[in-house]
Amino acid sequence: MWDKIKMLGVKEKYMMMILFMLVFVMVSSVNANVWYDNRAIKINDQRKILLSGSIHYPRSTPEMWPDLIRKAKDSQLDVIQTYVFWNGHEPTEGKYYFEGNYDLVKFVKEIQQGGLYVHLRIGPFVCAEWNFGGFPAWLKFVPGIEFRTDNQPFKNKMQTFTTKIVEMMKAEKLFHWQGGPIILAQIENEYGPVEYELGAPGRAYTHWFSQMALGLNAGVPWIMCKQQSTPDPIIDTCNGFYCEGFWPENKGKPKMWTENWTGWYTEYGGPVPYRPAEDVAFSVARFFANGGSYMNYYMFHGGTNFGTTAGRFVSTSYDYDAPLDEYGLPREPKYTHLKNLHKAIKMCEPAMVSSFAQLTNLGSNQEAHVYSSNSGSCAAFLANYDPKWSVKVTWSGTQFELPPWSISILPDCKREVYNTARVSAPKVHSKMTPVITSFSWQSYIDQTPTADSGSTFTEKKLYEQLNVTWDKSDYLWYMTDVVLDGNEGFLKKGDLPVLTVNSAGHLLHVFVNGQLQGHAYGSLAKPQFTFSQKVKMWAGVNRISLLSVAVGLANVGARFERYNQGVLGPVNLQGLNEGTRDLTWQNWSYKVGTKGESLWLHTASGSNSVKWGAPAQKQPLVWYKTTFNAPAGNDPLALDMGSMGKGQVWINGKSIGRHWAAAIAKGKCSDNCNYAGTYSEFKCLADCGKPSQKWYHVPRSWLQQSGNLLVVFEEWGGDPKWISMVKRTVS
């Protein structure tokens, strides 16, 4: 053949070279193809059983990413799944941010370098217990906008951001067909229930965003989770604690599980949920036994809600009882138990991708799912669904004992290599050991503003909080004056009047004449609350100052942009000579944020702009600062904030997040939660009667060797002398 090529003329040789290059490009394109059939996702035309784990880049630091990815790889995962967080990337309209822990491109490249694929969930609605569901606060104020429906202003903004992300990934050559790691993309998120509630506008919106996403030519399959009737070729997928019974509506699509909840999030005022490793393993094995092809752990590493990124009433810790804990350490025995499961599933892959399972009944609550291929490979999943009793079953002439609520995996249909209820991994306990037992504190007392303070505006109405703050601060002051006559009966009898304030959420500190009178707050289930108690007042002008505090914005629900927070009234004063005085419609003055925020006291330059004094104890509205040297070693660090009330914490100007040790966990907890039987987020709970969160993650990469600035803002009244720094180890 080569002799014939040599005989060709220059022109013919040139044409042959062009043809060869075209064929090469076409072949390369085929080899980089990602698509699917009814059995599985196909990468380079090969069916794959894919194991995935969620790691959200803003919930850790860039310095943590390589280690998290390595541990995911060591656990036999194939894919890292992440949302894209719109409000982190476009905090101000038209001004984008892709740096620090929001460096999406760097995160995706780290995953590729670690040898894993990426599932990019662009959304851009994410829920994720993240502030405003991932939407930037400014989006609420676009004229005529309604979120997540057939609304042109919303669709315009959504398309602009989605397009930006897809084009950014293309420009960096990060899609698989370009040689990158991205094999899947997601549009919208858990929209099915919202579409059902909205009806025709919801269906029109689904049709629009589906076509919009497909028109971006990402070159990889798009998915929608918790969304039936997905337009072809988009794949509908399942989210939940169990997904074995789910099947895509179109039988030509693979069975995929985008969120297997490895635990649950913690809300302030609630206990800490956990999910036994045996049940997580059981759910995974059951899914793959029933024809599953892709399973993702939500979360594989939960991480930390730094700053004010947590959703409404969600704790700063987003640990989620994940296989890797908040600090990035393996949670044992869950991490290793699931790693062993993944090894067993990978041994079954040749048979699993070749067929759907054949079902054989083994008893009243027992069955076998068997995969086999023409080449002779075989894999069996022997299941016992009874939550109480172990059983012995006979399979292929061999007797197997199946513990309650368990599945045994036989990669050759003969030999058991794994059972979901038999945990061979050691149970390792994490330990918090003090490394700095005390700090040398100074304090600055913040001001309680009044109606005539500077930087205020006054209206004869009560405003919804977000409409005033635009989420630039958690804090909004509502201020008014009450003039009382010296003849008021309570002044003589000593029976104080009762101030009643109705709030849409989330927390309220009440001051009268500069003195704290009390607090009240809602909960995730019921953000609204009423403050009603006696307050100290005198004859003449009384200054009422209400500090309304947002604890994150709503992150889920149809039309959640309409949810309210702040003091909306009525507000009244009872026990006066006139009876009850309605304060709702009198003049109210407003001030966004605290004085300390306006002075940037959490930064080095700002903290040097005021005079600090001796540390105040158990007083509200106090700023504390200290400096410290970085503890030796590489163990993860945290602050023990158990002695404080509520507020925020900064290290070297970076926000660790909201602290709220005064939120005590209420619920029914159990130290020994039985793994067997159907799991829910209410089944296994810990730390009742204790703060919902006591320890707050301090990333090592935020520290200097010496002279680190630690600033704490305390709204409630705490004692900083008991704050300590601890290291997290496992033993």
Side-chain angles (χ1 to χ4, degrees), residues 344-355:
I345 290 171
K346 289 298 183 183
M347 294 169 70
C348 300
E349 185 173 19
M352 292 173 66
V353 297
S354 300
S355 66

Side-chain angles (χ1 to χ4, degrees), residues 57 82-86 89 104 120-124 126 161 165:
Y57 52 99
T82 185
Y83 283 122
V84 178
F85 297 84
W86 187 358
H89 294 302
L104 175 59
L120 197 64
R121 306 176 80 186
I122 300 174
V126 301
F161 182 74
I165 296 302

Side-chain angles (χ1 to χ4, degrees), residues 399-504:
Q399 192 174 73
F400 296 90
E401 183 170 354
L402 304 179
W405 199 254
S406 76
I407 296 176
S408 287
I409 300 177
L410 289 62
D412 58 0
C413 287
K414 299 176 182 178
R415 179 177 56 92
E416 176 189 297
V417 299
Y418 184 89
N419 179 274
T420 59
R422 295 192 184 103
V423 180
S424 59
K427 186 171 184 179
V428 178
H429 296 277
S430 60
K431 183 170 65 172
M432 294 299 206
T433 305
V435 289
I436 300 178
T437 55
S438 64
F439 295 93
S440 179
W441 294 102
Q442 295 176 289
S443 67
Y444 172 83
I445 310 299
D446 210 305
Q447 293 180 352
T448 305
T450 58
D452 55 3
S453 297
S455 302
T456 64
F457 70 92
T458 303
E459 294 284 349
K460 210 164 191 173
K461 64 180 293 186
L462 290 167
Y463 275 102
E464 192 276 335
Q465 183 164 339
L466 185 58
N467 285 326
V468 180
T469 66
W470 279 48
D471 204 32
K472 301 295 184 183
S473 172
D474 278 355
Y475 306 108
L476 179 63
W477 288 98
Y478 293 75
M479 299 163 289
T480 193
D481 291 343
V482 174
V483 180
L484 298 178
D485 190 271
N487 293 322
E488 287 289 345
F490 79 85
L491 294 173
K492 299 174 183 178
K493 298 177 182 178
D495 190 12
L496 298 175
V498 175
L499 179 65
T500 300
V501 182
N502 287 279
S503 173

Side-chain angles (χ1 to χ4, degrees), residues 274-456:
Y274 63 96
R275 188 180 181 191
E278 299 94 326
D279 184 65
V280 180
F282 174 78
S283 71
V284 174
R286 192 174 186 179
F287 176 73
F288 283 115
N290 282 272
S293 64
Y294 171 101
M295 186 283 313
N296 176 76
Y297 294 111
Y298 187 100
M299 302 291 296
F300 193 76
H301 170 255
T304 306
N305 292 316
F306 296 116
T308 55
T309 59
R312 187 168 62 176
F313 283 99
V314 175
S315 67
T316 295
S317 172
Y318 199 66
D319 181 88
Y320 220 88
D321 199 42
L324 297 179
D325 69 17
E326 179 181 3
Y327 305 87
L329 299 176
R331 169 171 278 110
E332 298 293 10
K334 185 176 281 188
Y335 175 85
T336 299
H337 190 51
L338 295 178
K339 177 180 180 177
N340 293 336
L341 168 66
H342 305 157
K343 290 179 179 178
I345 290 171
K346 289 298 183 183
M347 294 169 70
C348 300
E349 185 173 19
M352 292 173 66
V353 297
S354 300
S355 66
F356 285 98
Q358 297 297 312
L359 177 63
T360 300
N361 190 291
L362 299 177
S364 59
N365 279 304
Q366 296 78 39
E367 58 190 24
H369 296 258
V370 183
Y371 293 95
S372 58
S373 71
N374 292 332
S375 63
S377 59
C378 182
F381 294 75
L382 308 184
N384 176 20
Y385 302 134
D386 194 308
K388 293 183 178 180
W389 305 105
S390 294
V391 295
K392 292 181 179 179
V393 299
T394 300
W395 174 256
S396 294
T398 302
Q399 192 174 73
F400 296 90
E401 183 170 354
L402 304 179
W405 199 254
S406 76
I407 296 176
S408 287
I409 300 177
L410 289 62
D412 58 0
C413 287
K414 299 176 182 178
R415 179 177 56 92
E416 176 189 297
V417 299
Y418 184 89
N419 179 274
T420 59
R422 295 192 184 103
V423 180
S424 59
K427 186 171 184 179
V428 178
H429 296 277
S430 60
K431 183 170 65 172
M432 294 299 206
T433 305
V435 289
I436 300 178
T437 55
S438 64
F439 295 93
S440 179
W441 294 102
Q442 295 176 289
S443 67
Y444 172 83
I445 310 299
D446 210 305
Q447 293 180 352
T448 305
T450 58
D452 55 3
S453 297
S455 302
T456 64

Side-chain angles (χ1 to χ4, degrees), residues 105-328:
V105 168
K106 180 176 181 178
F107 181 66
V108 173
K109 288 182 176 180
E110 290 279 9
I111 295 171
Q112 182 175 25
Q113 188 173 347
L116 296 172
Y117 297 121
V118 174
H119 179 189
L120 197 64
R121 306 176 80 186
I122 300 174
F125 170 73
V126 301
C127 182
E129 294 72 59
W130 187 265
N131 194 51
F132 222 29
F135 289 157
W138 58 259
L139 191 68
K140 173 183 169 70
F141 303 102
V142 172
I145 202 163
E146 293 181 61
F147 289 2
R148 305 179 74 201
T149 188
D150 190 21
N151 172 268
Q152 198 59 48
F154 177 77
K155 292 191 293 185
N156 290 343
K157 297 301 182 184
M158 175 182 175
Q159 183 169 4
T160 297
F161 182 74
T162 305
T163 302
K164 182 173 184 64
I165 296 302
V166 171
E167 292 305 315
M168 179 182 287
M169 297 302 106
K170 285 182 183 178
E172 296 289 338
K173 294 182 168 44
L174 294 176
F175 286 107
H176 191 266
W177 56 272
Q178 299 174 296
I182 302 173
I183 60 169
L184 294 165
Q186 178 179 305
I187 190 69
E188 248 293 343
N189 187 53
E190 299 184 325
Y191 189 67
V194 179
E195 180 190 288
Y196 178 81
E197 184 171 339
L198 297 182
R203 292 190 293 273
Y205 170 62
T206 297
H207 175 76
W208 171 81
F209 71 66
S210 303
Q211 298 308 309
M212 183 269 288
L214 293 171
L216 295 175
N217 299 315
V220 297
W222 287 89
I223 69 103
M224 295 184 202
C225 61
K226 289 181 73 173
Q227 174 79 37
Q228 292 182 331
S229 302
T230 54
D232 291 335
I234 298 174
I235 307 168
D236 48 319
T237 68
C238 183
N239 291 356
F241 290 115
Y242 308 95
C243 279
E244 72 281 349
F246 164 84
W247 286 96
E249 188 174 65
N250 183 328
K251 300 307 179 186
K253 299 175 182 178
K255 179 173 178 172
M256 298 176 63
W257 190 359
T258 36
E259 291 188 16
N260 180 355
W261 302 326
T262 55
W264 201 246
Y265 60 90
T266 300
E267 62 179 273
Y268 280 122
V272 178
Y274 63 96
R275 188 180 181 191
E278 299 94 326
D279 184 65
V280 180
F282 174 78
S283 71
V284 174
R286 192 174 186 179
F287 176 73
F288 283 115
N290 282 272
S293 64
Y294 171 101
M295 186 283 313
N296 176 76
Y297 294 111
Y298 187 100
M299 302 291 296
F300 193 76
H301 170 255
T304 306
N305 292 316
F306 296 116
T308 55
T309 59
R312 187 168 62 176
F313 283 99
V314 175
S315 67
T316 295
S317 172
Y318 199 66
D319 181 88
Y320 220 88
D321 199 42
L324 297 179
D325 69 17
E326 179 181 3
Y327 305 87

